[in-house]
Structure formats: C-alpha cells, structure tokens
Amino acid sequence: MSRARKLALVAGLTLLWLQLLFTVQAEERLKVVATFSIIGDFAQQVGGERIELHTIVGPNADAHVYEPRPADAMALARADVVLTNGLMFEGFLTRLIEASGTTGKTIALTEGADILRDPEGGHYHFYGDHAVFHEAPFDPHAWQSVANAKVYVENIASAFCEADENGCPLYTQNAIAYLAILDDLHKEVGQAIAAIPEGRRVAVVSHHAFRYFEDEYGVVFLAPQGLSTEAEATAADVASLIDGIREQRAAGVFAENISNPRLVEQIADEAGLTLGGTLYSDALSAPDGPASTYVELMRHNATTLSRVLASD
Amino acid sequence: MGRKPLSLTISLLVAGLASGSAQAHDDEATAWRLFIADHSEPVVHVFDAVEGKPLASFDIHGPASLYRSHNGEAVFAVQGSSDVVTAMATGIAFHDHGDHADIEIGEPRLTGTEIEGEYPVHFVEHQGHWAAFFDKEGVARIFRERDALAGSVEIREVDAGVPHHGVVVPYGDYDLVSEPHPEDPSNLPIGIRVQDRDGNQVGDLAECPDLHGEAATGNLMAFACATGLLIVRSSEGEPAIEHLPYADTLPEGKATTLVGGRGLQYFLGNYGPSSVVLIDPSEEEAFRLIQLPTRRVHFAVDPIRARYAYVFTEDGQLHQLDVLGGEITQSLRLTGPYSMDGHWRDPRPRVTVAGESVVVTDPLEGKLHLVDAASFEKTGELEVEDTPFSIVAVGGTGVVHDHDHGHGHDHDHDHDHDHDHDHDHDHDHDHSH
Ligand SMILES: [Zn+2]
Ligand SMILES: [Zn+2]
C-alpha cells in the first residue's frame, strides 16, 4: 500500500470514528427512572425526547404492593435521575435502591407539596398505665390534586436541569407549557365537581387514594381500605363503611383501576347502589385506555364522578 | 417444654452479628434468631444471633427440616421419618403501622401444635395458611399459622388420590394439588390441578412432568418441572397458571429445587449438579445459567440485600451470587470438602441469612460459620452440639417503646422493614430413581 493511500485510509477511518463518536454523544440521553406510571408521564412531558425513561410500576398496576424485578434494579443502576413519589408510597423503593447500588440522584417529588396526614392513622400503644401515641402517617397520593401535580412537575424540571445543564432550556420550556395545561385542568376539574349538587358529593372507592382530591375539589370519599392496598379490609371495616354510606348518603360506588372490583361490588350491593364505573387512582390506564396520561386521568375521574354523583 | 441448652459453647466472639445489633435510633431494636435442627438427633436449638448465645433447645420427635413463616413468627420442624410437623413460636413478631413496624420480643417456645400423618415432606405456606403433604397417605393437612401459634389448629384435608411425593398449596379459595403419575405414583407427579373447596377440579390440568420444587416470590409462585416452570399468578382472586419452558440456550437439565427472591421478584433454582439458574418470568430471556466451580450443595437468597444470593459448593466454598449481574462475585472457603457423592440425605452444609450475617452449618465439625454479608469475610463461629444441619433465621428491626417517654415519637425517618423471610426449603433431594 502506498503511503498516500495509507494516509487517506487513516484519515477516512478517523473521520468515521469522529462521526460515530458524535452520533453516540448526540444520542446519549438523560437516563431517568420513574417509580410509577403517573410520574412517568410527568417526566415524559418535561423531558420529551431528551430523556430515556424506564417506568417501574406500569399502567393499571399497584405500586403499594409492587414487587420489583431484577430488570428494575438494573435500570436504576444505570439511571442519572430517579423520580419517586416518596412518603412511603413505594414500599419497595429503599431496598431496590440499595440492591441497585445506583449513583443516580433520587428525588422525592412530593417535596414542597401540600401534604396531608391520614386522618384515621394515629394509634395508641398501651403499656400498663402508659399510652404511647404514634402520629398518623403521611398520605402519599398527592398527585390527586392538580395543584400538587404542578409541584411534581417543577421538581422534575429542576432535577433534570441539575443533571443535564445543556437540556435545561428545553426542560424549562416544556415544563412551563405543561404547567399551563395543568392550570386549565385544575379549573376544569373544579368546574366538573362544582356541577354536582352539594348534597351528593360523597363517593365510595376501595382505598383512600382520593383525600387530596377531596381536600382540593370537595368530594368526600369513603373507603374500606386505608392509605395502602396492602392490608385487606376486615368485615368490621366493611360494616362500618356501610353505616357511613347510609349516614353520609353516598351517591356512587366506584372501582379503582389498580384493584380487584370484587370488594366494592359487594359493598355497592349491600348499600343498594350500582357500581358507577372506574376511577384511576394510583396508575394510568394502558395507552389505549381512557386515562393514558395524567391530564386524561384527572379529566376522566372528574367527569365520571360528576356524571354518576349528579344523576339519580 | 424444651431442655436447657447445656453443652453449647461459643468459640469466638461473634463480631459480625454483634455489629448488626447497633441501634440506629434509641427507640429501635434489632433481634435475630437462628433455629438449627440436628441431622440425626430429635432436637432444635435456638440461638440469639445478635448476641451469639444459645437461647433454648427443644426436644422434638426426630431429625427435622425447618421452615420459617413469611412473617417470621413461626418455625416448623417437619420430621418426615417421625410422621409429624411440630410448631414453634419464634418469639419475634412485628406489627406493621404503615410507616413503621413495632417489634415485639418474647421467648421462643413450642406452641403445642403438632400435625400428624405419614411421612410429611413438602410443606408450603401461602398467605398465612400452611399445607403439609404426607407422602405415604397422599393427603395434605392445611391449617392457619395463627392457630398453630395459639396451640390449637383446625385441620382441613385435601386428598390427592394416592400416596406419592406430592405437594398442595392452599391458594385462597382454591388448592393447587399435585397430580400423581398415572401408571406409577412412585414417580414424580405429572402436573398441578386446581381444586375448589369442594374438591372439584377447576380448568385443565397444568402439565408439569417430574414436578418437584416450589417457591414463592412476591405475588408469584412457581413449580419446577422437567420441561420448565409453572408460574402461578393471582387473577381476580383465582390462580392462573402458565408454563414457562426452559430456554433453548440452556443445556439439558431441569430444576428440582426453587427459592424465591426477597425484595426482588425472581426465582433461583438448581440446574444440573454444578450450576444454578436465575429465573425472571417477566423477562424475554427468563433464564440465566450460572456455572459453579464444583458441585452445588445448597443455596439461599439474601432477604435483606436483595441483590445477592448465596451458593455453597462441595469444595467447602460459599459463593456470593449477584442476581443483577448474573455472576459469582465473591467466594470464601469455610469448611472442608463435603462431597456430593453418597446419599442426598448425608449431612452437608446449609445456608441462611440472619441480619448482617450469612450463616452456614458445618455438620461434621459441629459448628456454624458466620460471614459478614457486606464485606464477605468470616467473622466468627458458633459451636453447636452433634451435627447441626437444617437452619433458618428470623428477625429484623422494629420500634420499641420506652416507657419513660409517654408521648408520640417523630416517625418521619425511615425504619428498616427488613423483617422479611427467607423460605428455606432445604430438602434438595435427588429423584433419579
Ligand atoms: Zn394508593
Ligand atoms: Zn421433595
């Protein structure tokens, strides 16, 4: 081979190599893990094409009782940013983070949101004459108020900006646009609920996922299960719920997308009500379902509630 | 009650276990207990794994395989050759309050519950219900753990038809029942049938030739077969069974013992004499084979450090298996050789995890080896009389209430909820008849 040809070849290879390097860098996206589908949607709204998203608990799945897979730990191990709800929502998280050995930054998106405690959660322990009070746990379902969802989105934008400075203008722009959509959504949900006659704003669901919705928009929710789906409702829970339904004149019973409807069906039956449809509590629907994004989820829940509760 | 622990001595200070007892918060307590059955004597020894001290010894009827319950409140001694299952209360209980768990620590004791029948072997828990399968009767006796702890059980029987080496899993309103080999029930069963409470079969037989070995991980259950695994999921309260065939990439072989991951949802099984297989049914490539340096003696998952499992091999080495990477990450020689030649029932080491320590029985030397799970270095030994064999651990960390503080604590910090279970199904017996 002549010297000139050799040089040309080397130059050509170098160019190819540079091109490859460039493509690889251009495609190197921010690796994001979201613990469940709702914050996965928030992350996608803010991050767009610039992030590579792995969502641990998928559509219609229950994060309270989720058992993470080795693949989740491997995704965490590669992650730059780990987006979590916090407030003990993801029972699997501490161990999963430990198992993964991730060096990615873990963010609790409820940080700075308006947080409620479980009104039924405080309990006493008695030791002879001593009573020890355990304060009620925090309610993790903060996304059920759109005002709080905005805090999630702001937290995501700042986490992305910190992890990927070059992408910050894009993340900020996306977040601002999305926050405006959430403002409209907030009004829309408020109006849908306001249209329900005041005496009829009581609904029954299977677990207490909707206290933030209640707090923000004024529908009272009764449920046989507490803040988590983990503990099954006892016969006594169900009996006192039936009393509650009569006392407070609940106007609708709803299934949740993450739970077996059997229990609420039975409750509806005993209370002489019919099942009013499905509310999306702790997860989005599948892509072809009615709540495949957070905006659709809130809209679907608001219209379902208002349709069922307002009608006789 | 049990006899006093007399001739038990501690040969070394148990540094590894003691460091695990460090109290991170002054209203937290950590307790771990080891239950150890002898290879030939009718006795179960209980050790305080944090202090490294014997706590109690219980006389039972024969040599036993030990099983701990999901919540760790009960340990059962399955005494196949003595036709009985004996219930023990571990003395450690947790009460979950959502954001924290309270720990209650009392004495370990025999509860008085004994389940009798001919030749119990496979013994399975599902959500607080246990089924002991009595091979020589072909019958399972099912009872609630709560009742076994209280000392009086109501037994429900499920008859699988003929005597065989079978298994029954109480699965909510249904039972999963092994289908004996039609021509020769002394062969391994050929599948699983689902029965309702009246004994009526629901749906078709789930085929599983050479059915042997079952485990649970999270909300999944699996049975091992010659052709693959049966994976059982709950679908609206009913068991839904799917067959997951072994991958074409695997060499000839099958699993006959399974354990379920804790904190991560996966199964770990034996596969041929000198490898183990990691199984993640949710993955496209569900099987990952891990070759071992020599033949395998026993394996267990780490219920606390979910990333790891442990395998003991006949050359006397304990191996740390990285479940994510699918490879052996560390190895440590602990005992002399324990050849897999000879009878499957011969005394060989068993592995369990108690808090910060991996614990390995060394039956021929009459001791336990303690290995720090984090550094993977040996930290001590405990001497146990005779031939310590089957071993399980229970315990964890919880909140205790100091009587001097009469008001609420701040529970915003994270408590360790590592009071989980390893399901030590350690009869890795050979069915090559
Ligand atoms: Zn929930
Ligand atoms: Zn067996």
Side-chain angles (χ1 to χ4, degrees):
Chain A
M1 201 187 287
S2 79
R3 197 182 143 80
R5 281 189 62 141
K6 228 180 194 170
L7 265 179
L9 189 66
V10 169
L13 281 174
T14 312
L15 195 66
L16 189 69
W17 179 77
L18 278 173
Q19 274 172 342
L20 274 173
L21 188 73
F22 188 74
T23 348
V24 167
Q25 272 183 342
E27 281 176 1
E28 192 68 46
R29 296 183 293 169
L30 187 68
K31 293 190 182 65
V32 177
V33 170
T35 51
F36 70 111
S37 56
I38 291 169
I39 61 184
D41 180 39
F42 293 154
Q44 203 70 76
Q45 300 295 339
V46 176
E49 290 296 302
R50 214 180 152 85
I51 63 163
E52 184 188 321
L53 179 68
H54 174 94
T55 300
I56 296 178
V57 186
N60 297 323
D62 182 353
H64 292 293
V65 296
Y66 182 74
E67 293 284 336
R69 329 247 135 101
D72 297 323
M74 290 183 242
L76 268 189
R78 291 189 296 267
D80 301 310
V81 180
V82 182
L83 302 175
T84 77
N85 186 76
L87 308 179
M88 308 287 296
F89 179 60
E90 303 98 336
F92 59 84
L93 190 66
T94 313
R95 274 212 206 152
L96 184 64
I97 285 177
E98 216 175 277
S100 71
T102 184
T103 53
K105 188 144 198 241
T106 303
I107 321 281
L109 298 177
T110 45
E111 189 80 55
D114 231 338
I115 297 306
L116 304 171
R117 278 187 188 272
D118 182 358
E120 293 158 17
H123 60 275
Y124 284 91
H125 295 273
F126 296 97
Y127 298 93
D129 304 338
H130 298 276
V132 175
F133 184 66
H134 269 174
E135 213 172 346
F138 293 117
D139 184 337
H141 305 88
W143 64 84
Q144 288 291 348
S145 134
V146 181
N148 277 334
K150 288 174 64 183
V151 178
Y152 283 49
V153 171
E154 286 160 7
N155 285 339
I156 290 170
S158 30
F160 286 1
C161 279
E162 200 178 310
D164 172 21
E165 239 174 89
N166 292 338
C168 190
L170 175 76
Y171 301 138
T172 311
Q173 192 191 327
N174 288 349
I176 289 170
Y178 187 56
L179 289 170
I181 294 173
L182 293 184
D183 280 331
D184 291 344
L185 178 69
H186 181 60
K187 283 186 211 126
E188 197 184 323
V189 172
Q191 283 161 3
I193 301 307
I196 306 168
E198 233 166 286
R200 303 189 54 90
R201 291 181 201 162
V202 181
V204 180
V205 287
S206 57
H207 89 296
H208 271 301
F210 295 97
R211 285 224 178 84
Y212 288 91
F213 194 103
E214 173 171 334
D215 200 52
E216 192 72 59
Y217 307 110
V219 173
V220 173
F221 287 89
L222 309 177
Q225 286 179 300
L227 284 184
S228 174
T229 54
E230 207 175 348
E232 279 184 38
T234 63
D237 293 335
V238 173
S240 82
L241 176 69
I242 304 280
D243 289 346
I245 290 174
R246 299 212 167 105
E247 273 162 32
Q248 305 199 48
R249 301 194 183 167
V253 180
F254 301 87
E256 283 178 39
N257 66 319
I258 62 161
S259 298
N260 186 337
R262 232 171 17 170
L263 178 62
V264 284
E265 274 166 7
Q266 179 203 333
I267 287 164
D269 221 42
E270 275 183 55
L273 294 163
T274 49
L275 211 56
T278 298
L279 298 181
Y280 289 78
S281 50
D282 297 3
L284 301 175
S285 70
D288 56 353
S292 67
T293 65
Y294 174 73
V295 170
E296 285 176 20
L297 177 149
M298 291 303 289
R299 197 174 278 150
H300 171 92
N301 286 352
T303 52
T304 304
L305 282 166
S306 107
R307 177 171 46 80
V308 173
L309 297 184
S311 70
D312 276 304
Chain B
M1 275 280 288
R3 63 188 183 193
K4 284 257 155 60
L6 287 175
S7 54
L8 302 163
T9 53
I10 304 152
S11 65
L12 263 176
L13 211 140
V14 195
L17 286 170
S19 71
S21 73
Q23 296 191 349
H25 197 272
D26 64 0
D27 64 355
E28 277 185 2
T30 295
W32 281 94
R33 284 173 182 172
L34 294 166
F35 285 70
I36 306 137
D38 196 82
H39 185 262
S40 47
E41 297 299 317
V43 65
V44 174
H45 302 296
V46 187
F47 276 73
D48 179 331
V50 178
E51 300 289 329
K53 286 188 182 130
L55 271 183
S57 289
F58 300 121
D59 288 324
I60 52 174
H61 305 276
S65 272
L66 299 180
Y67 293 80
R68 55 152 293 175
S69 66
H70 185 91
N71 63 28
E73 289 180 34
V75 166
F76 295 93
V78 178
Q79 300 146 78
S81 48
S82 302
D83 299 332
V84 68
V85 176
T86 303
M88 289 166 277
T90 63
I92 299 178
F94 292 90
H95 306 285
D96 197 4
H97 294 300
D99 63 343
H100 71 280
D102 296 340
I103 185 171
E104 196 184 306
I105 304 171
E107 294 298 311
R109 61 189 171 83
L110 292 168
T111 69
T113 298
E114 307 222 289
I115 318 292
E116 293 176 351
E118 284 179 74
Y119 208 70
V121 187
H122 282 239
F123 186 60
V124 184
E125 175 187 11
H126 190 255
Q127 295 178 344
H129 295 253
W130 287 89
F133 194 87
F134 295 88
D135 284 7
K136 291 185 181 169
E137 300 175 61
V139 166
R141 302 207 160 83
I142 297 170
F143 59 93
R144 291 199 309 182
E145 174 172 331
R146 207 186 314 162
D147 299 339
L149 286 168
S152 150
V153 289
E154 205 176 292
I155 286 175
R156 184 167 68 82
E157 287 197 353
V158 173
D159 193 339
V162 292
H164 69 287
H165 187 53
V167 62
V168 165
V169 180
Y171 201 94
D173 294 336
Y174 300 88
D175 295 302
L176 310 179
V177 183
S178 58
E179 178 76 17
H181 194 284
E183 281 99 53
D184 181 1
S186 74
N187 288 331
L188 286 172
I190 57 158
I192 287 288
R193 63 173 190 264
V194 179
Q195 282 184 191
D196 66 17
R197 279 297 164 82
D198 301 322
N200 301 314
Q201 182 168 337
V202 180
D204 296 332
L205 176 77
E207 284 181 36
C208 180
D210 291 358
L211 167 75
H212 190 267
E214 64 286 320
T217 178
N219 50 10
L220 287 187
M221 256 216 73
F223 296 93
C225 327
T227 49
L229 262 55
L230 291 183
I231 305 293
V232 189
R233 290 182 172 83
S234 173
S235 164
E236 314 268 289
E238 285 183 28
I241 308 182
E242 236 177 298
H243 184 264
L244 177 70
Y246 294 129
D248 296 336
T249 49
L250 289 179
E252 201 61 27
K254 64 173 182 178
T256 59
T257 302
L258 296 175
V259 292
R262 295 292 319 142
L264 284 178
Q265 188 167 281
Y266 71 95
F267 297 99
L268 179 62
N270 62 342
Y271 198 88
S274 27
S275 43
V276 287
V277 64
L278 281 167
I279 305 141
D280 180 351
S282 66
E283 285 291 294
E284 193 72 27
E285 283 169 23
F287 297 89
R288 285 183 291 166
L289 193 74
I290 294 103
Q291 211 63 46
L292 303 167
T294 56
R295 286 180 292 182
R296 180 199 58 251
V297 175
H298 191 236
F299 53 98
V301 302
D302 192 324
I304 299 151
R305 290 147 295 267
R307 182 179 195 140
Y308 298 110
Y310 307 99
V311 186
F312 196 84
T313 47
E314 63 178 348
D315 56 357
Q317 289 199 89
L318 179 72
H319 307 277
Q320 181 193 56
L321 170 63
D322 177 355
V323 171
L324 304 189
E327 58 185 7
I328 300 290
T329 35
Q330 304 202 63
S331 298
L332 179 66
R333 190 168 305 276
L334 288 177
T335 72
Y338 274 96
S339 172
M340 288 305 288
D341 295 334
H343 201 275
W344 62 262
R345 217 200 281 268
D346 289 345
R348 295 189 188 88
R350 294 284 179 265
V351 183
T352 193
V353 178
E356 304 306 307
S357 290
V358 186
V359 185
V360 178
T361 59
D362 190 347
L364 297 184
E365 295 295 324
K367 60 190 174 191
L368 313 179
H369 299 268
L370 306 165
V371 174
D372 183 75
S375 65
F376 214 65
E377 279 163 16
K378 182 163 167 176
T379 50
E381 308 185 332
L382 290 172
E383 277 188 19
V384 183
E385 64 183 294
D386 303 320
T387 38
F389 185 50
S390 181
I391 184 167
V392 293
V394 297
T397 299
V399 178
V400 283
H401 301 289
D402 186 341
H403 294 200
D404 297 337
H405 303 244
H407 53 80
H409 312 274
D410 180 7
H411 284 292
D412 294 350
H413 57 273
D414 280 348
H415 289 296
D416 267 339
H417 281 246
D418 57 3
H419 49 281
D420 275 301
H421 46 288
D422 61 325
H423 220 82
D424 186 7
H425 182 110
D426 61 2
H427 79 277
D428 183 5
H429 50 217
D430 158 16
H431 283 275
S432 50
H433 42 245

